[in-house]
Amino acid sequence: MITVEEAFRAVESTVTSLPQETIGLDEAVGRTLAGEVRSDVDSPPHDKSVMDGFAVRAADIAAGITEFRVLETIIAGGLPTSEVTEGTTSRIMTGAPLPEGADAVVMIEMSNLEYSDPTPETVILNVDGNFTAGKHQMQRAGNFASGDLIFEANHRIRPVDIGLLAEVGASEIMVVAQPSIAVLPTGDELVDCSRTPAASQIRNSNGPMLRAIANQWVPEVKDLGIATDQRQDLEAKIRSGLKHDVLILSGGVSAGTMDLVPEVLASQGVKTIFHKVKVKPGKPIFFGVADRGEGQRCYVFGLPGNPVSSLVGMHLFVSTAVRKMTGVLQDAARPVRLGAILSAAHQTRGNRPTYWPGRRCNHADPRLVEALPWNGSSDLLSLRQAEGLIYFPVRESAYESGAEVEFLPF
Ligand code: AMP
Ligand code: MG
């Protein structure tokens, strides 16, 4: 049986990035840049005022001049027409281009004028403090210049990046394509969650959960319904699932007599990369790949049926695969792991490294995490409070309060 680390490496070395496509900026959040982005403008495009006030020569202020002749008013979006010379000034608004000759701006608060006053022929400027060339103005290209590198390839676009992309004219951008993802829960005992289960049945909780998680990565996730543990039905549904870039199954991957998923996958051309990982919960997890022709592949995950097992497999390995497909580079593709400290002693069960539902328990110290009461892989109730998974690497062991652990936030 392989280790978690080996499983991560197997996913990372198997899964490759999808081709690129062009999208509009409004659809860009969460996508990964396929190439670098450079600016087509200087920012700012001209020397500009960062205050409402008067554009002057700093030398005039230094020489003690206080009364200035006003040449014009320059608004943001307008262009100056006159050069500022000795003893003259132009009224200027925030964002407006600095006129020729001027090298600084005096705030309107230091004049004898109110904001709402019309522009007079002369103005008194009483400048206090240290006033030198460059005051209250920004130089052309002070932020960046046309041609400068703004984002490197493989940057994952966040909402805060959108303003900068808009500023540099990236209204259409090349990003890595998104995978199509299909979810197929399997099991004779499953009924849709809208139904009342009969005596031997349970509701399909994995299907909606796995689709919801996948929906955080891609806007549409294909619901393949529920497959029974009958070979024909399983085969047909798996065949349609294999048309996608990612097929996520749940159930049917362990050693029971009805656990047909691995052999049906094999019969449909899916090559096994791994089956079973030394992890708790979720040991029977399956990962394989099928060729769909024309260079396209389907990555197949068979997650164990118990809901928390499915969740752990999804959070660790499926998410890594999807991030890798969408262009995220090696190290960043794995789920985030934070250094954390146990708030109370904890005893793990079983003989495998364990991912245990947990939460941060102290806002003053976000490093403190608490292992929640949990009945094991079928117990979704404790997830109500969980904010992530606490990783306990040592098998069957007592962890003391204050022990250093890793926390994987959802
Ligand atoms: P399996 O991996 O098929 O052996 O299933 C392991 C356990 O998970 C069994 O108790 C199943 O009833 C349960 N299970 C399987 N699929 C689902 C599902 N979609 N939703 C909730 N529980 C499930
Ligand atoms: Mg089953």
Side-chain angles (χ1 to χ4, degrees):
M1 207 180 339
I2 64 170
T3 64
V4 169
E5 177 59 29
E6 287 164 340
F8 270 124
R9 273 192 253 127
V11 170
E12 287 163 346
S13 60
T14 305
V15 176
T16 53
S17 190
L18 292 170
Q20 59 195 38
E21 62 183 11
T22 303
I23 57 164
L25 189 56
D26 286 344
E27 307 152 276
V29 170
R31 306 297 294 269
T32 309
L33 287 171
E36 62 184 28
V37 172
R38 287 181 181 271
S39 179
D40 67 347
V41 289
D42 292 336
S43 173
H46 45 68
D47 294 353
K48 76 168 185 185
S49 177
V50 297
M51 288 287 172
D52 294 319
F54 290 88
V56 296
R57 297 166 5 128
D60 284 5
I61 302 292
I65 301 175
T66 54
E67 183 167 346
F68 290 82
R69 187 160 62 81
V70 181
L71 303 171
E72 61 179 332
T73 296
I74 312 161
I75 58 171
L79 287 172
T81 61
S82 310
E83 179 179 350
V84 169
T85 53
E86 187 177 348
T88 70
T89 185
S90 287
R91 191 174 185 181
I92 192 163
M93 305 301 155
T94 303
L98 225 67
E100 280 292 303
D103 57 12
V105 173
V106 176
M107 295 191 292
I108 191 164
E109 288 84 348
M110 292 184 174
S111 76
N112 62 339
L113 222 63
E114 299 293 328
Y115 292 107
S116 53
D117 288 344
T119 304
E121 286 195 358
T122 62
V123 66
I124 310 290
L125 301 177
N126 280 308
V127 180
D128 53 25
N130 176 28
F131 190 89
T132 50
K135 193 81 175 170
H136 300 320
Q137 65 128 317
M138 240 192 115
Q139 299 227 297
R140 173 176 183 165
N143 295 326
F144 52 82
S146 178
D148 278 359
L149 179 65
I150 302 299
F151 286 105
E152 299 199 32
N154 296 100
H155 176 81
R156 196 163 176 83
I157 301 166
R158 305 161 304 158
V160 293
D161 297 326
I162 298 296
L164 183 53
L165 286 164
E167 183 180 1
V168 301
S171 59
E172 306 249 284
I173 42 182
M174 295 276 270
V175 293
V176 180
Q178 274 181 326
S180 68
I181 302 180
V183 171
L184 178 60
T186 71
D188 280 342
E189 73 278 36
L190 302 178
V191 295
D192 187 81
C193 60
S194 62
R195 291 184 34 204
T196 305
S200 64
Q201 297 178 321
I202 58 168
R203 292 194 176 100
N204 165 30
S205 50
N206 287 343
M209 175 181 71
L210 296 173
R211 281 187 277 118
I213 295 172
N215 257 144
Q216 297 179 297
W217 310 323
V218 295
E220 270 174 57
V221 178
K222 177 72 179 171
D223 177 7
L224 293 170
I226 298 169
T228 62
D229 292 320
Q230 310 307 310
R231 192 175 298 268
Q232 263 194 334
D233 183 41
L234 203 50
E235 242 175 52
K237 293 203 164 87
I238 282 175
R239 252 201 306 276
S240 62
L242 290 173
K243 294 182 183 132
H244 297 263
D245 299 309
V246 182
L247 170 59
I248 305 166
L249 298 117
S250 90
V253 287
S254 20
T257 49
M258 302 313 280
D259 290 334
L260 302 177
V261 166
E263 59 182 270
V264 173
L265 287 173
S267 77
Q268 298 307 307
V270 178
K271 187 177 137 244
T272 304
I273 306 293
F274 61 70
H275 187 191
K276 291 194 176 58
V277 175
K278 204 186 288 175
V279 64
K280 189 179 163 68
K283 180 176 81 170
I285 184 171
F286 172 98
F287 173 51
V289 59
D291 272 317
R292 292 189 280 147
E294 292 170 18
Q296 298 203 78
R297 309 211 274 176
C298 177
Y299 300 105
V300 183
F301 288 91
L303 306 177
N306 270 311
V308 186
S309 305
S310 265
L311 174 71
V312 167
M314 189 77 170
H315 190 73
L316 297 184
F317 304 118
V318 186
S319 74
T320 300
V322 169
R323 280 188 287 264
K324 192 95 204 298
M325 293 175 92
T326 53
V328 177
L329 296 179
Q330 205 80 342
D331 291 342
R334 292 191 190 188
V336 170
R337 295 178 300 173
L338 305 173
I341 294 171
L342 271 190
S343 66
H346 179 72
Q347 173 77 46
T348 57
R349 301 187 289 255
N351 61 359
R352 276 166 275 142
T354 299
Y355 290 85
W356 192 289
R359 66 171 173 186
R360 296 189 183 91
C361 51
N362 182 332
H363 287 295
D365 186 354
R367 295 231 307 152
L368 278 184
V369 294
E370 170 193 3
L372 292 162
W374 181 46
N375 282 335
S377 56
S378 70
D379 176 16
L380 279 176
L381 194 65
S382 94
L383 286 175
R384 275 186 313 184
Q385 294 175 311
E387 295 172 345
L389 301 167
I390 304 174
Y391 179 51
F392 294 102
V394 186
R395 60 212 201 82
E396 195 131 32
S397 172
Y399 285 78
E400 285 174 16
S401 169
E404 292 195 17
V405 289
E406 278 179 359
F407 183 62
L408 289 76
F410 291 140

Short mmCIF file of all heavy atoms in Angstrom, two decimals, residues 121-149:
data_model
loop_
_atom_site.label_atom_id
_atom_site.label_comp_id
_atom_site.label_asym_id
_atom_site.label_seq_id
_atom_site.Cartn_x
_atom_site.Cartn_y
_atom_site.Cartn_z
N GLU A 121 -8.80 84.94 -10.76
CA GLU A 121 -7.65 85.33 -11.61
C GLU A 121 -6.34 85.19 -10.87
O GLU A 121 -5.31 84.89 -11.47
CB GLU A 121 -7.85 86.76 -12.10
CG GLU A 121 -8.91 86.78 -13.17
CD GLU A 121 -8.93 88.07 -13.98
OE1 GLU A 121 -8.14 88.99 -13.70
OE2 GLU A 121 -9.76 88.11 -14.89
N THR A 122 -6.40 85.45 -9.55
CA THR A 122 -5.20 85.25 -8.73
C THR A 122 -5.56 84.45 -7.49
O THR A 122 -6.72 84.45 -7.07
CB THR A 122 -4.55 86.58 -8.28
OG1 THR A 122 -5.49 87.26 -7.46
CG2 THR A 122 -4.13 87.43 -9.46
N VAL A 123 -4.55 83.80 -6.95
CA VAL A 123 -4.79 82.99 -5.76
C VAL A 123 -3.61 83.20 -4.80
O VAL A 123 -2.47 83.41 -5.24
CB VAL A 123 -4.98 81.50 -6.12
CG1 VAL A 123 -3.70 80.91 -6.69
CG2 VAL A 123 -5.45 80.69 -4.92
N ILE A 124 -3.92 83.15 -3.51
CA ILE A 124 -2.86 83.24 -2.49
C ILE A 124 -2.57 81.81 -2.00
O ILE A 124 -3.48 81.09 -1.59
CB ILE A 124 -3.32 84.09 -1.27
CG1 ILE A 124 -3.91 85.43 -1.70
CG2 ILE A 124 -2.18 84.24 -0.27
CD1 ILE A 124 -2.90 86.41 -2.26
N LEU A 125 -1.32 81.45 -2.08
CA LEU A 125 -0.93 80.11 -1.61
C LEU A 125 -0.01 80.27 -0.40
O LEU A 125 1.08 80.83 -0.51
CB LEU A 125 -0.21 79.35 -2.73
CG LEU A 125 -1.01 79.13 -4.01
CD1 LEU A 125 -0.16 78.41 -5.06
CD2 LEU A 125 -2.29 78.34 -3.73
N ASN A 126 -0.49 79.81 0.75
CA ASN A 126 0.31 79.88 1.98
C ASN A 126 0.78 78.48 2.34
O ASN A 126 0.09 77.73 3.01
CB ASN A 126 -0.53 80.44 3.13
CG ASN A 126 -0.61 81.95 3.05
OD1 ASN A 126 0.42 82.62 2.96
ND2 ASN A 126 -1.83 82.47 3.05
N VAL A 127 1.95 78.15 1.84
CA VAL A 127 2.43 76.77 1.98
C VAL A 127 3.25 76.66 3.26
O VAL A 127 4.18 77.43 3.48
CB VAL A 127 3.30 76.38 0.77
CG1 VAL A 127 3.79 74.95 0.91
CG2 VAL A 127 2.51 76.58 -0.51
N ASP A 128 2.85 75.72 4.10
CA ASP A 128 3.68 75.50 5.29
C ASP A 128 4.40 74.17 5.19
O ASP A 128 4.05 73.32 4.36
CB ASP A 128 2.85 75.58 6.59
CG ASP A 128 1.66 74.65 6.54
OD1 ASP A 128 1.72 73.65 5.80
OD2 ASP A 128 0.65 74.92 7.23
N GLY A 129 5.38 74.02 6.01
CA GLY A 129 6.11 72.75 6.07
C GLY A 129 7.07 72.60 4.91
O GLY A 129 7.32 73.55 4.14
N ASN A 130 7.55 71.41 4.76
CA ASN A 130 8.57 71.09 3.77
C ASN A 130 7.92 70.91 2.41
O ASN A 130 7.12 70.00 2.22
CB ASN A 130 9.28 69.81 4.25
CG ASN A 130 10.31 69.34 3.26
OD1 ASN A 130 10.85 70.14 2.51
ND2 ASN A 130 10.54 68.05 3.26
N PHE A 131 8.20 71.78 1.47
CA PHE A 131 7.57 71.70 0.15
C PHE A 131 8.65 71.67 -0.91
O PHE A 131 9.40 72.62 -1.09
CB PHE A 131 6.65 72.92 -0.04
CG PHE A 131 5.78 72.79 -1.27
CD1 PHE A 131 4.54 72.17 -1.20
CD2 PHE A 131 6.22 73.27 -2.50
CE1 PHE A 131 3.75 72.04 -2.33
CE2 PHE A 131 5.44 73.13 -3.64
CZ PHE A 131 4.20 72.51 -3.55
N THR A 132 8.73 70.56 -1.61
CA THR A 132 9.78 70.42 -2.64
C THR A 132 9.17 69.91 -3.92
O THR A 132 8.00 69.49 -3.94
CB THR A 132 10.86 69.42 -2.19
OG1 THR A 132 10.20 68.24 -1.75
CG2 THR A 132 11.71 69.98 -1.05
N ALA A 133 9.97 69.94 -4.98
CA ALA A 133 9.52 69.40 -6.27
C ALA A 133 9.03 67.97 -6.06
O ALA A 133 9.61 67.22 -5.29
CB ALA A 133 10.66 69.44 -7.27
N GLY A 134 7.95 67.61 -6.72
CA GLY A 134 7.40 66.25 -6.60
C GLY A 134 6.26 66.17 -5.61
O GLY A 134 5.55 65.16 -5.58
N LYS A 135 6.03 67.24 -4.84
CA LYS A 135 4.98 67.21 -3.81
C LYS A 135 3.60 67.01 -4.45
O LYS A 135 3.24 67.70 -5.40
CB LYS A 135 5.02 68.52 -3.01
CG LYS A 135 4.20 68.49 -1.74
CD LYS A 135 4.96 67.81 -0.64
CE LYS A 135 4.19 67.88 0.67
NZ LYS A 135 4.80 67.01 1.68
N HIS A 136 2.83 66.08 -3.91
CA HIS A 136 1.45 65.81 -4.33
C HIS A 136 1.30 65.54 -5.83
O HIS A 136 0.29 65.83 -6.44
CB HIS A 136 0.50 66.95 -3.93
CG HIS A 136 0.48 67.17 -2.45
ND1 HIS A 136 0.49 66.14 -1.55
CD2 HIS A 136 0.44 68.32 -1.71
CE1 HIS A 136 0.47 66.63 -0.32
NE2 HIS A 136 0.45 67.95 -0.38
N GLN A 137 2.36 65.03 -6.42
CA GLN A 137 2.23 64.61 -7.81
C GLN A 137 2.87 63.24 -7.99
O GLN A 137 3.67 62.81 -7.16
CB GLN A 137 2.87 65.63 -8.75
CG GLN A 137 4.38 65.73 -8.57
CD GLN A 137 5.12 65.56 -9.88
OE1 GLN A 137 4.79 64.70 -10.69
NE2 GLN A 137 6.13 66.39 -10.09
N MET A 138 2.46 62.55 -9.01
CA MET A 138 3.03 61.25 -9.33
C MET A 138 3.60 61.31 -10.71
O MET A 138 3.00 61.88 -11.62
CB MET A 138 1.92 60.21 -9.32
CG MET A 138 2.15 59.12 -8.30
SD MET A 138 1.02 57.82 -8.59
CE MET A 138 2.18 56.58 -9.04
N GLN A 139 4.77 60.68 -10.88
CA GLN A 139 5.41 60.74 -12.19
C GLN A 139 4.81 59.70 -13.13
O GLN A 139 4.40 58.62 -12.70
CB GLN A 139 6.89 60.45 -12.03
CG GLN A 139 7.53 61.49 -11.15
CD GLN A 139 8.80 62.00 -11.73
OE1 GLN A 139 9.74 61.26 -11.90
NE2 GLN A 139 8.82 63.30 -12.04
N ARG A 140 4.79 60.10 -14.38
CA ARG A 140 4.39 59.15 -15.43
C ARG A 140 5.11 57.81 -15.20
O ARG A 140 6.32 57.79 -14.90
CB ARG A 140 4.78 59.71 -16.79
CG ARG A 140 4.56 58.75 -17.91
CD ARG A 140 4.89 59.42 -19.22
NE ARG A 140 4.59 58.49 -20.30
CZ ARG A 140 4.49 58.87 -21.56
NH1 ARG A 140 4.66 60.12 -21.89
NH2 ARG A 140 4.21 57.97 -22.48
N ALA A 141 4.36 56.69 -15.31
CA ALA A 141 4.91 55.34 -15.15
C ALA A 141 5.50 55.09 -13.76
O ALA A 141 6.30 54.20 -13.57
CB ALA A 141 5.94 55.02 -16.23
N GLY A 142 5.06 55.88 -12.78
CA GLY A 142 5.54 55.69 -11.41
C GLY A 142 5.17 54.33 -10.84
O GLY A 142 5.87 53.79 -9.98
N ASN A 143 4.04 53.76 -11.30
CA ASN A 143 3.64 52.41 -10.85
C ASN A 143 4.29 51.35 -11.73
O ASN A 143 4.92 50.43 -11.25
CB ASN A 143 2.13 52.24 -10.90
CG ASN A 143 1.41 53.18 -9.93
OD1 ASN A 143 1.92 53.47 -8.85
ND2 ASN A 143 0.25 53.66 -10.32
N PHE A 144 4.08 51.49 -13.02
CA PHE A 144 4.71 50.58 -13.98
C PHE A 144 4.65 51.21 -15.37
O PHE A 144 3.88 52.15 -15.60
CB PHE A 144 4.06 49.19 -13.99
CG PHE A 144 2.57 49.20 -14.17
CD1 PHE A 144 1.99 49.32 -15.42
CD2 PHE A 144 1.73 49.07 -13.07
CE1 PHE A 144 0.62 49.33 -15.59
CE2 PHE A 144 0.34 49.08 -13.23
CZ PHE A 144 -0.21 49.21 -14.48
N ALA A 145 5.49 50.69 -16.25
CA ALA A 145 5.58 51.25 -17.60
C ALA A 145 4.98 50.30 -18.62
O ALA A 145 4.85 49.09 -18.36
CB ALA A 145 7.04 51.53 -17.94
N SER A 146 4.63 50.84 -19.77
CA SER A 146 4.15 50.03 -20.87
C SER A 146 5.20 48.95 -21.18
O SER A 146 6.40 49.25 -21.22
CB SER A 146 3.94 50.92 -22.10
OG SER A 146 3.52 50.13 -23.19
N GLY A 147 4.75 47.72 -21.33
CA GLY A 147 5.67 46.62 -21.61
C GLY A 147 6.12 45.88 -20.35
O GLY A 147 6.68 44.79 -20.44
N ASP A 148 5.89 46.47 -19.17
CA ASP A 148 6.31 45.79 -17.93
C ASP A 148 5.51 44.49 -17.72
O ASP A 148 4.33 44.40 -18.07
CB ASP A 148 6.08 46.69 -16.71
CG ASP A 148 7.21 47.69 -16.52
OD1 ASP A 148 8.17 47.65 -17.33
OD2 ASP A 148 7.13 48.50 -15.57
N LEU A 149 6.18 43.52 -17.09
CA LEU A 149 5.51 42.26 -16.74
C LEU A 149 4.57 42.52 -15.57
O LEU A 149 4.98 43.02 -14.52
CB LEU A 149 6.57 41.21 -16.34
CG LEU A 149 6.03 39.84 -15.92
CD1 LEU A 149 5.33 39.15 -17.10
CD2 LEU A 149 7.15 38.97 -15.38
#
